[in-house]
Amino acid sequence: MRADSRALHGWRVVPVPFRLARMLGCVLVSVLTANCDAGGSAGSNHTSDAGARTKPRTVSFQLLRTGERALTTDASGAVSYAPVKSLGGVEVCVSKRRSAFALLQPFEPLTPPICVTDAPGKPVRLQGVPANSDLLVTHTKAGYRPLLTTFRTDEFNVAIPAWADNAMYFTPLLRNEASLPVEAAPPAKAADGLLAIWVDAIGDYGTGPAGALFGSEGDPGTAQADKVNVTITDANAKSIVSLRTRRDRPLFVSLPAGSYRLHFTHPLMELAPAGIQEQFMTLGLPMDTPNDIEVVVAGDHLTLASIDGFCPLPANPRRGFTDIASCTIEADADAGAP
């Protein structure tokens, strides 16, 4: 598991601004002597206008480079990934916000939206973004299906995690004319958005390359998880559909615009929202339980939704995974060894 560099022995280091310290001292003075004004001096009876003079706190964060990801289907129905094509000229915008952790509550438009246009193969940096907010981020480029991702800010800037700062990882865009294997239930409607759901099965080591993943090129210790149960409910806790993830492609589900809870279960994997340890929550917002995320669907957009599934490692270091996608460990030649 990756360590959180913003924590120290379980305690988060939060600097106390001088202004706040002065105000706290002023409260004590006011109890003994007189009131404090907005500037922190005692003895004033003027009405405070601190709210009008205080700018809302903003932060910046980085996102992965964008790349074209295509899926192809052969005559037998098997799905494979085409090579990733690096893209540039994608307009990336923080379009909507709400208070952080306001689970399943509506988002309000950010006026004006905060936008940048990315360069090929380069991370995307967004500045002046509202702090302490849940955000919706759109990715648009002519000829490609508009993409919707998420982010959650607090009091600090967020950079791309060290593990993602290379060409292996990217934000995938699909062409408008791409023929996607949309799930049969619930039935698709013209105004619906599209949700792409997958789970990354992770082990510390494997027996060989795992092949391409939807949002990355993969590595020997990662594969697209097979047969993880996914239950989708809407913001009113109404059950929509239950599905199982696939090892060869994401689940593409057509849904009306709105907020949804995705609940993941698996008999072996330890499930957690993707990027939660690095505060890099682009594939769904963490909720009140570790194996749930909130996603937002918008008409005509593709929304990405994924979590990590950690496979339990074998006690015997001589054993490896024969199939990370299902957390299958190779047989042990030593009888009775775990």
Side-chain angles (χ1 to χ4, degrees):
M1 305 288 278
R2 304 180 186 96
D4 189 340
S5 61
R6 297 173 293 107
L8 181 64
H9 301 298
W11 290 87
R12 187 167 188 177
V13 181
V14 180
V16 178
F18 172 76
R19 180 179 176 85
L20 177 58
R22 187 179 182 186
M23 290 175 63
L24 292 175
C26 196
V27 171
L28 178 59
V29 171
S30 69
V31 171
L32 299 177
T33 57
N35 293 327
C36 296
D37 66 11
S41 57
S44 172
N45 292 319
H46 296 299
T47 301
S48 172
D49 63 349
R53 297 204 308 250
T54 303
K55 283 186 67 176
R57 182 172 176 81
T58 62
V59 295
S60 67
F61 63 87
Q62 287 182 317
L63 297 173
L64 301 176
R65 69 186 180 106
T66 54
E68 179 183 332
R69 170 58 97 194
L71 304 178
T72 57
T73 305
D74 63 20
S76 67
V79 177
S80 60
Y81 294 103
V84 177
K85 175 185 176 183
S86 185
L87 293 178
V90 178
E91 187 178 48
V92 182
C93 297
V94 178
S95 60
K96 294 186 178 182
R97 71 159 301 278
R98 70 182 181 198
S99 297
F101 304 101
L103 302 178
L104 298 172
Q105 297 302 306
F107 288 77
E108 60 187 24
L110 200 61
T111 307
I114 299 169
C115 298
V116 297
T117 301
D118 75 344
K122 300 293 185 182
V124 182
R125 184 175 182 84
L126 290 148
Q127 298 177 301
V129 176
N132 302 307
S133 299
D134 289 343
L135 305 174
L136 298 184
V137 183
T138 59
H139 307 248
T140 56
K141 181 179 174 66
Y144 294 84
R145 182 188 292 268
L147 182 69
L148 184 66
T149 60
T150 58
F151 211 90
R152 176 172 288 161
T153 59
D154 64 5
E155 293 288 316
F156 304 96
N157 299 334
V158 180
I160 290 177
W163 57 264
D165 191 14
N166 58 58
M168 178 183 291
Y169 299 95
F170 56 92
T171 299
L173 267 64
L174 304 175
R175 288 194 172 273
N176 285 332
E177 65 271 16
S179 178
L180 301 177
V182 179
E183 303 301 318
K189 298 179 181 178
D192 287 355
L194 196 62
L195 186 60
I197 308 169
W198 75 97
V199 176
D200 286 340
I202 299 171
D204 279 355
Y205 56 90
T207 56
L213 304 176
F214 184 66
S216 73
E217 290 298 79
D219 61 59
T222 306
Q224 210 155 267
D226 191 32
K227 296 184 175 62
V228 176
N229 298 305
V230 186
T231 300
I232 303 176
T233 56
D234 66 14
N236 298 315
K238 177 184 176 182
S239 179
I240 303 299
V241 66
S242 293
L243 301 164
R244 279 187 166 189
T245 60
R246 302 176 186 271
R247 67 173 62 234
D248 64 331
R249 63 168 175 85
L251 298 170
F252 292 101
V253 183
S254 183
L255 292 170
S259 293
Y260 296 88
R261 176 190 291 263
L262 272 58
H263 177 67
F264 297 83
T265 58
H266 188 271
L268 295 176
M269 295 179 187
E270 179 185 353
L271 300 165
I276 190 171
Q277 292 172 309
E278 297 86 3
Q279 198 187 328
F280 195 70
M281 294 163 283
T282 62
L283 304 177
L285 295 169
M287 301 194 71
D288 43 5
T289 58
N291 51 334
D292 287 16
I293 58 173
E294 177 188 357
V295 297
V296 178
V297 174
D300 300 325
H301 283 68
L302 173 67
T303 296
L304 305 182
S306 182
I307 66 170
D308 290 336
F310 296 92
C311 294
L313 299 178
N316 188 334
R318 289 175 295 179
R319 300 170 69 187
F321 290 102
T322 57
D323 182 17
I324 298 176
S326 59
C327 294
T328 303
I329 300 172
E330 64 185 358
D332 195 339
D334 297 333

